[in-house]
DNA sequence: CAACAATGTCACATAACTGTCACATTTAAA
DNA sequence: TTTAAATGTGACAGTTATGTGACATTGTTG
């Protein structure tokens, strides 16, 4: 959920305002003042969106956008360009280059957030989320439900994600660290043993019809989800 | 697939640009400069979407939208209104009247096309306005009424739209942001938590016969409408 | 113009979830 | 069998998400 937004803007007061508004809303921000600095920040992991001041010294904002839209890896990063009132030519050039939206300064934080939401939704991949079933255990990512032989099961968000991951990758052992990466996300630091606790909670949640046996401990290696006993 | 789009815009350069961009993309276009001319074009077969300049001479853009949204036959034609920057009042009036989206001039063809797709996708399944019933709960989109086991229920416009959306898409979790997009509309920015409050109001409104349990909280994900407990 | 209804936001209350620990139990090797 | 390591398990305290009432604002209706 917490997306990363790169703010490329040379005027500090404006940049600060943007960063403040974004972080307020839970976005993770990156900042750059110049063309070069921006390029440095545009590497793995790529930001999810770029707010780009069109009037960078030397007009390099346009160049940056052009460059990004040409590279296969950065082509799909949405760009919202920030222009000053009356710079019509820039708008036109910007849109030619492929900016996804633009805003004229000054603008309200509300408008900014609305556009970010719109642009990111447009860019969001519409992954096909299908129902997963293994024996009597069904998990439906769309309705966010898990059932065991038609009985609804209750579990916390983390247990749901964990089960989702397991059911998507059955018959395979994952170490605690791997599970942390896949389920909790990278760059989150929690103890390895925390996985054990959630495994315990998940097992309890699906134990009603004996499905807890599907989550197997592989001593010294990790855990495995398997239909086989 | 070739949808028919009516462009109502009095300034020729802009109209030409729009028509060009649309035909480029394979849409079939109709053009109108004035209120009266537009009405002439809005007959069988009805256009699938209307791009409506809000600033038609005499402010008649708004009147046209209002008129269209009042007639049973044209109510469901999606309208994207085109406003000049800063005409905040118009935006607000436009959304009240029932415009489905708006764009501020000048805008990119890319954005325009994206919104057209979005609006049409959203409007497509709504074309048939049928009574929806889930267990004892009935919602009639035509008369704008909701009943629980024959008892009439009272609720605000937003709650009605919310319930309408939920009942049209049961068994599916929607995040607060998605609900904002679908119920409040794109381009409106309100706090995520506002959804919670309206959920609360809606639950209260339908709680008389225990129907409030149909709106379920999915912690960390959003809300879901479902007949199942 | 006054009374009323609807909206969006807050602040606070409540409920649910998290990560960690300490201790119990199991396992495998010595 | 003994022993050390690995895993299971219950409890708990902090954190976060959601529920809820109140309020200012705005538009609507009479």
């Amino acid at each position: 959920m917490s997306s990363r937004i790169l703010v490329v803007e040379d005027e500090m007061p404006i940049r600060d305002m943007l960063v403040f508004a974004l972080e307020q809303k839970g976005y993770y921000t990156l900042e750059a003042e110049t063309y070069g600095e921006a390029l440095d920040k545009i590497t793995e992991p790529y930001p999810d969106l770029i707010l780009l001041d069109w009037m960078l010294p030397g007009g390099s904002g346009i160049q940056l956008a052009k460059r990004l839209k040409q590279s296969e890896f950065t082509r799909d990063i949405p760009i919202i360009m920030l222009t000053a009132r009356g710079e019509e030519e820039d708008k036109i050039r910007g849109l030619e280059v492929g900016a996804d939206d633009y805003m004229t300064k000054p603008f309200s934080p509300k408008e900014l957030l609305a556009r970010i939401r719109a642009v990111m939704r447009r860019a969001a991949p519409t992954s096909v989320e299908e129902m997963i079933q293994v024996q009597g255990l069904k998990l439906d990512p769309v309705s966010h439900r898990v059932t065991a032989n038609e009985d609804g099961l209750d579990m916390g968000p983390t247990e749901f994600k964990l089960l989702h991951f397991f059911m998507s990758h059955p018959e395979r052992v994952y170490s605690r660290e791997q599970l942390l990466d896949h389920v909790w996300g990278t760059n989150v630091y929690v103890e390895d043993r925390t996985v054990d606790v959630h495994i315990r909670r998940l097992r309890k949640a699906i134990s009603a019809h004996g499905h807890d046996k599907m989550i197997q401990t592989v001593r010294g290696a990790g855990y495995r989800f398997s239909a086989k006993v």
Side-chain angles (χ1 to χ4, degrees), chain A:
Chain A
M1 172 53 227
S2 66
S3 306
R4 299 152 42 85
I5 297 182
L6 173 61
V7 179
V8 186
E9 164 68 61
D10 59 317
E11 293 171 73
M12 183 163 31
I14 298 180
R15 197 175 66 239
D16 282 352
M17 185 274 276
L18 292 170
V19 168
F20 175 78
L22 293 173
E23 298 198 332
Q24 192 80 1
K25 275 296 155 193
Y27 291 106
Y28 186 66
T29 59
L30 304 169
E31 303 179 45
E33 284 189 49
T34 64
Y35 181 91
E37 213 177 311
L39 272 188
D40 286 345
K41 309 275 181 173
I42 304 174
T43 56
E44 303 262 17
Y46 291 111
D48 300 295
L49 184 142
I50 300 174
L51 293 182
L52 179 58
D53 181 15
W54 226 237
M55 291 312 281
L56 286 182
S60 51
I62 298 175
Q63 289 166 31
L64 179 58
K66 190 176 281 181
R67 175 157 176 178
L68 292 177
K69 288 299 175 186
Q70 277 169 355
S71 157
E72 173 186 358
F73 301 109
T74 55
R75 194 205 316 280
D76 298 329
I77 303 175
I79 295 177
I80 295 180
M81 63 175 181
L82 313 176
T83 70
R85 182 170 294 277
E87 293 164 354
E88 298 297 330
E89 307 156 31
D90 281 343
K91 282 179 196 165
I92 295 166
R93 293 183 62 190
L95 295 169
E96 278 170 6
V97 169
D100 296 87
D101 202 350
Y102 70 86
M103 299 208 311
T104 303
K105 293 188 264 191
F107 44 77
S108 73
K110 272 194 177 185
E111 185 178 1
L112 172 68
L113 293 165
R115 299 216 177 193
I116 287 177
R117 193 154 61 90
V119 166
M120 290 183 80
R121 177 165 21 75
R122 221 176 295 152
T126 20
S127 56
V128 192
E129 307 236 315
E130 288 183 350
M131 171 109 82
I132 310 176
Q133 172 161 11
V134 177
Q135 291 187 354
L137 200 60
K138 279 189 226 176
L139 183 148
D140 182 354
V142 174
S143 69
H144 225 270
R145 274 184 199 277
V146 182
T147 58
N149 303 335
E150 311 308 316
D151 288 349
L153 300 181
D154 247 357
M155 63 184 72
T158 306
E159 284 71 43
F160 183 85
K161 277 184 261 174
L162 188 54
L163 181 58
H164 192 358
F165 177 74
F166 269 139
M167 294 186 75
S168 310
H169 305 86
E171 300 301 336
R172 188 180 162 135
V173 177
Y174 290 96
S175 70
R176 291 170 174 72
E177 294 207 350
Q178 287 176 311
L179 289 173
L180 285 176
D181 279 349
H182 289 296
V183 176
W184 276 252
T186 335
N187 63 43
V188 186
Y189 181 75
V190 292
E191 295 289 326
D192 283 8
R193 292 300 310 280
T194 296
V195 174
D196 296 32
V197 178
H198 283 277
I199 289 279
R200 152 76 173 150
R201 288 169 180 160
L202 176 54
R203 276 174 172 158
K204 194 184 263 183
I206 65 175
S207 63
H209 295 262
H211 290 294
D212 56 324
K213 297 198 184 61
M214 295 173 120
I215 299 176
Q216 297 150 6
T217 304
V218 181
R219 198 176 177 82
Y223 296 95
R224 170 183 57 210
F225 180 87
S226 165
K228 302 169 194 165
V229 183

